[in-house]
Amino acid sequence: AWAAAQAINKQALTALLALDGWSPRNKNGILAHQPCPVQLSALGGYSPALADPRLVQHMLGGRVSSPPELSTALYHERLLLLPLGAAPPTPTDDVSIENEGG
């Protein structure tokens, strides 16, 4: 985790977005070293009971999944509301992605 945090820090990134939360193979060990000045969580199932406020300062959410009126009671992180919610929209069945170059 330390080597990964150093590599991220050397890139001088402004923000680091964690998408794995407290899943079994999370990268919270990297976040613990604070490699970026701004660290955010999203889509990863951060549990208010388990969340360490030192890992991330902001959480991306939606009005349904993260009601703003409950944010101070439930989260250590500052809640940043996305207009379409926390989950990205999924493509419809009629969307095709062509393989370029082959």
Side-chain angles (χ1 to χ4, degrees), residues 7-58:
I8 292 168
N9 186 265
K10 285 180 184 177
Q11 294 179 33
L13 301 175
T14 301
L16 184 62
L17 176 59
L19 296 175
D20 54 6
W22 290 98
S23 61
R25 298 176 67 180
N26 69 57
K27 305 294 186 275
N28 290 338
I30 296 169
L31 294 175
H33 294 292
Q34 295 288 317
C36 289
V38 176
Q39 296 185 164
L40 305 100
S41 66
L43 306 177
Y46 273 88
S47 165
L50 297 174
D52 184 336
R54 296 166 293 181
L55 295 181
V56 294
Q57 298 85 27
H58 306 281

Side-chain angles (χ1 to χ4, degrees), residues 42-81:
L43 306 177
Y46 273 88
S47 165
L50 297 174
D52 184 336
R54 296 166 293 181
L55 295 181
V56 294
Q57 298 85 27
H58 306 281
M59 184 180 83
L60 300 179
R63 293 191 181 281
V64 174
S65 63
S66 309
E69 61 274 8
L70 300 177
S71 65
T72 56
L74 294 177
Y75 305 107
H76 300 288
E77 304 90 344
R78 180 175 174 220
L79 181 61
L80 303 174
L81 292 176

